[in-house]
Amino acid sequence: MAGQAAGTAKATAKEDILDAAEALFAARGFEGASMRAIAEAAGVAQALLHYHYKTKEGLFEAMFTRRSGAINRIRLARLDVMLARGRPTVEDIVEALLRPTIEAGHDPSRGGSRFASLILATSTAEGDWQKGLVARSYDPMAERFIAALMVALPDLGRAEATWGYLFVVGAALTQMAPTGRADRLSEGAARDEDTDAMLSRAVIFAAAGLKALAATPPDDH
């Protein structure tokens, strides 16, 4: 029992550290969030951060992959179910790609707007280690979805499927967390807190674009 309690306490401490890191990295950026400040926010000794994660880069990666890994596991599980049933529709693939991200962005317990801002910042960072982190975190999943899009749309070439995937994900990231902008621009007719309404339109919009790419001869691109 003592060993189990110790293991639970250790896991809790690590979660507290990752939660504190997520909050401070989102608020202050990578350079502005110090290991000392993160340790203080987590209520642990700074030495414990170095023990578990070695460096600030290591802590950032652990914090980042906790969320990205959880989202991608849901995405790939849904994709696997669809592929096992036969040839999926492009709409189903887009839904499986977008829903886990949007739902996480609207759920503070899964990172919410903090992780949404971190994805955007990390994806556009110029550092080699940030680029490597994004590649390790998302490229294997992205390749699976690109291949699935080519199954759903046999006339969609690899280049078009890749561009289409990137366009869909790029648009989704700007809507991952609620900002109230849709409410303002629509004068209240659209609410970005309504994830189902947002996703239903995002799927229609993205699927139409992908189908148009598949229908366009390569020489016309």
Side-chain angles (χ1 to χ4, degrees), residues 10 16 36 42-43 47 56 75 97 117 148 173 194 198 205:
K10 181 178 179 181
D16 289 344
R36 179 179 178 179
K56 188 160 74 165
R75 285 168 157 171
L97 177 64
S117 67
L173 286 178
D194 188 343
M198 182 197 303
F205 186 87

Side-chain angles (χ1 to χ4, degrees), residues 27-198:
R28 303 180 185 179
F30 179 78
E31 297 298 334
S34 68
M35 294 287 268
R36 179 179 178 179
I38 293 168
E40 289 177 352
V44 301
Q46 185 175 339
L48 192 61
L49 272 64
H50 293 285
Y51 173 77
H52 285 306
Y53 306 107
K54 309 303 181 189
T55 64
K56 188 160 74 165
E57 288 84 354
L59 174 57
F60 188 97
E61 180 162 352
M63 174 276 302
F64 191 89
T65 57
R66 175 178 64 154
R67 301 298 189 196
S68 63
I71 292 170
N72 287 339
R73 283 191 293 274
I74 297 171
R75 285 168 157 171
L76 292 173
R78 293 185 177 189
L79 183 62
D80 286 341
V81 169
M82 286 188 294
L83 292 173
R85 291 174 179 169
R87 191 166 116 186
T89 67
V90 65
E91 288 82 0
D92 287 340
I93 295 170
V94 172
E95 168 89 9
L97 177 64
L98 296 185
R99 181 172 287 279
T101 299
I102 299 298
E103 289 183 344
H106 284 67
D107 183 354
S109 71
R110 291 190 283 163
S113 60
R114 296 186 308 195
F115 187 61
S117 67
L118 286 167
I119 292 178
L120 285 170
T122 307
S123 298
T124 56
E126 296 183 357
D128 288 340
W129 74 267
Q130 289 104 325
K131 291 178 181 178
L133 174 57
V134 170
R136 292 190 298 276
S137 299
Y138 290 106
D139 284 7
M141 177 278 302
E143 289 170 358
R144 290 284 312 280
F145 272 87
I146 289 168
L149 289 172
M150 294 170 68
V151 170
L153 297 170
D155 292 331
L156 189 67
R158 180 78 186 191
E160 287 70 32
T162 300
W163 282 120
Y165 169 87
L166 292 172
F167 294 153
V168 171
V169 170
L173 286 178
T174 65
Q175 299 299 321
M176 182 177 173
T179 64
R181 193 171 187 215
D183 308 56
R184 294 195 306 273
L185 293 175
S186 69
E187 298 181 347
R191 296 174 51 251
D192 61 10
E193 291 185 353
D194 188 343
T195 56
D196 286 332
M198 182 197 303

